[in-house]
């Protein structure tokens, strides 16, 4: 079974997807971590993030996988916490925008999913491009102000909520208008509004939908 989860930045996708995968005993396919891993290799090798040819060569050269806890592995070695560094953050969007990098990474995502008995795949193009035939698709949503509030809390900087909100609105605009794999709600995705709910409550409501779907066979 493949469950694909999409939604805007700050909707709680990663916490909820990881929790859902754990509750189901499925592999958590953190697609963003794979683009981060390619970006890390770009930094380490001194390649140019703007060079599609160089970035693609690195995506092809390194084997990306996940351990049982859903942590990214690069050539069998953990990529955490390096893939979350500020330097990776700065270039990952440029690296992930190259169509020929996406081609390699998406092929790898499909191969990983085909080997697992159950997968929860999280990422902006998982419901549309990577797994258009997923068993179940969710689009996690939250109002911009709620997303900014959560992000500010997470970062321990509640006073920056307004600045974070402005940044989220800007990123939403960039994400939905970019040429390759823009943020799009798949028409067959179940929309889950997460305002005012804890991640545990959101996971529970998604589990109910997964069970209902599994019961239908
Ligand atoms: O979700 P994240 O912050 O780990 O994503 C890291 C980067 O990769 C971010 O620039 C968005 C991009 N990304 C993507 O282009 N496609 C995906 N399926 C997941 C992430």
């Amino acid at each position: 079974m493949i469950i694909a989860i999409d939604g805007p930045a700050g909707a709680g996708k990663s916490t909820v997807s990881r929790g859902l995968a754990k509750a189901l005993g499925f592999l958590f396919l953190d697609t963003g971590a794979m683009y981060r891993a390619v970006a890390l290799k770009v930094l380490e090798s001194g390649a140019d993030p703007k060079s599609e040819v160089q970035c693609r060569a690195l995506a092809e050269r390194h084997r990306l996988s996940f351990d049982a806890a859903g942590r990214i592995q690069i050539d069998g070695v953990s990529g955490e916490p390096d893939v979350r560094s500020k330097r990776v953050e700065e270039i990952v969007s440029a690296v992930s925008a190259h169509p020929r990098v996406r081609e390699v990474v998406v092929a790898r995502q499909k191969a990983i999913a085909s080997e697992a008995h159950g997968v929860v795949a999280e990422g902006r193009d998982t419901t549309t491009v990577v797994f258009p035939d997923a068993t179940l698709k969710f689009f996690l949503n939250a109002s911009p102000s709620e997303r900014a509030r959560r992000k500010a809390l997470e970062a321990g900087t509640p006073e920056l909520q307004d600045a974070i909100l402005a940044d989220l609105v800007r990123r939403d605009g960039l994400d939905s208008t970019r040429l390759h794999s823009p943020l799009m709600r798949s028409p067959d995705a179940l929309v889950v509004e997460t305002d005012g709910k804890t991640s545990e409550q959101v996971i529970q409501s998604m589990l109910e939908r997964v069970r209902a779907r599994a019961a239908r066979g």
Side-chain angles (χ1 to χ4, degrees):
M1 180 187 276
I2 297 179
I3 299 173
I5 302 179
D6 204 344
K13 275 179 308 200
S14 81
T15 312
V16 164
S17 306
R18 197 177 284 277
L20 184 67
K22 193 164 177 223
L24 292 165
F26 284 9
L27 177 80
F28 173 48
L29 183 54
D30 177 357
T31 61
M34 297 175 77
Y35 292 103
R36 288 170 178 271
V38 177
L40 178 64
K41 288 296 156 190
V42 168
L43 285 176
E44 285 177 0
S45 64
D48 178 1
K50 290 197 226 67
S51 161
E52 180 157 19
V53 171
Q54 290 177 24
C55 292
R56 180 190 171 107
L58 289 164
E60 281 178 325
R61 187 171 315 146
H62 297 284
R63 187 185 153 80
L64 305 183
S65 59
F66 291 91
D67 70 8
R71 281 183 300 249
I72 185 79
Q73 308 283 299
I74 309 170
D75 302 320
V77 177
S78 175
E80 300 282 1
D82 303 12
V83 295
R84 313 280 160 194
S85 74
K86 186 141 184 42
R87 291 176 63 219
V88 165
E89 231 19 75
E90 279 162 11
I91 65 158
V92 64
S93 143
V95 172
S96 68
H98 296 307
R100 298 205 292 154
V101 169
R102 303 194 73 81
E103 206 174 81
V104 175
V105 174
V106 167
R108 183 75 194 122
Q109 289 163 358
K110 290 182 174 166
I112 292 173
S114 72
E115 288 161 13
H117 85 281
V119 175
V120 175
E122 181 247 312
R124 62 189 57 188
D125 58 350
T126 52
T127 60
T128 48
V129 178
V130 192
F131 301 115
D133 301 323
T135 327
L136 212 47
K137 300 178 184 180
F138 290 105
F139 188 91
L140 282 194
N141 209 6
S143 63
S145 58
E146 172 71 9
R147 287 155 54 207
R149 192 186 67 79
R150 287 185 195 148
K151 282 215 160 266
L153 268 184
E154 247 170 53
T157 52
E159 72 282 4
L160 293 184
Q161 190 172 326
D162 289 349
I164 292 173
L165 176 59
D167 186 53
L168 273 181
V169 171
R170 183 185 63 84
R171 273 176 64 185
D172 280 357
L174 288 179
D175 280 356
S176 48
T177 54
R178 72 180 202 181
L179 205 53
H180 297 283
S181 293
L183 175 68
M184 276 189 319
R185 184 182 306 184
S186 176
D188 52 353
L190 301 167
V191 179
V192 180
E193 298 291 346
T194 67
D195 277 44
K197 293 188 193 137
T198 64
S199 49
E200 208 36 59
Q201 287 169 328
V202 176
I203 293 167
Q204 280 310 321
S205 77
M206 291 165 85
L207 273 174
E208 278 162 28
R209 308 241 187 144
V210 173
R211 292 194 182 116
R213 177 65 188 79
R216 286 212 314 276

